[in-house]
Amino acid sequence: MAGSGSSMLYSILLFTVILSLQEMYRTKLASSELYTILGGFISSILFLVLLTFIGNFQESTGAKTGWGAVIIAEAVALIAASTVHRVCITTCFLFSAGLLYEVNKISASALSTTEVRTKKHGGRA
């Protein structure tokens, strides 16, 4: 499993690459309805990658993670979506809500698995 430092580095690099490609192809993404929806999905991927970066940064500094990271990541993703097309803002928000729900489910599942493993081994992970 990747540590928070390498995950933080990979997520910021991926964010930069995705954002650059989205800005390079924004005229293509705004050219049709299907591409506009794709532009919103790409922006929601930006949300997920930036949320990963912020969460790893807060973990490495010892700060508590919470809704602030979600709001900041969503705001940045919506601003990036607004550079492509107005409809991308709406689709980005909807896709991001779905991704956030799935990440929360995965996180809860991983946390419960870790707690069960800790109890089974007498306090050790």
Side-chain angles (χ1 to χ4, degrees):
M1 198 178 242
S4 65
S6 61
S7 178
M8 189 169 51
L9 176 67
Y10 295 146
S11 61
I12 198 65
L13 289 174
L14 195 56
F15 176 82
T16 306
V17 168
I18 293 171
L19 183 62
S20 300
L21 289 172
Q22 181 180 0
E23 291 302 314
M24 283 174 48
Y25 293 107
R26 75 173 146 188
T27 55
K28 180 69 174 174
L29 290 171
S31 66
S32 73
E33 293 176 4
L34 189 60
Y35 283 136
T36 304
I37 295 170
L38 179 65
F41 180 73
I42 292 170
S43 295
S44 69
I45 298 296
L46 284 173
F47 161 75
L48 185 63
V49 171
L50 189 59
L51 185 64
T52 303
F53 171 76
I54 293 172
N56 285 323
F57 179 75
Q58 287 178 334
E59 183 180 325
S60 67
T61 59
K64 185 181 177 193
T65 59
W67 285 104
V70 173
I71 292 169
I72 290 170
E74 184 66 26
V76 171
L78 290 175
I79 290 169
S82 71
T83 63
V84 177
H85 195 273
R86 292 178 300 195
V87 176
C88 287
I89 299 169
T90 306
T91 56
C92 171
F93 184 78
L94 294 174
F95 282 126
S96 296
L99 285 174
L100 185 61
Y101 175 74
E102 291 299 323
V103 166
N104 189 28
K105 274 190 355 187
I106 292 169
S107 176
S109 172
L111 183 63
S112 68
T113 303
T114 304
E115 288 176 355
V116 168
R117 193 177 314 146
T118 302
K119 288 178 184 177
K120 188 184 275 185
H121 294 300
R124 294 179 299 171

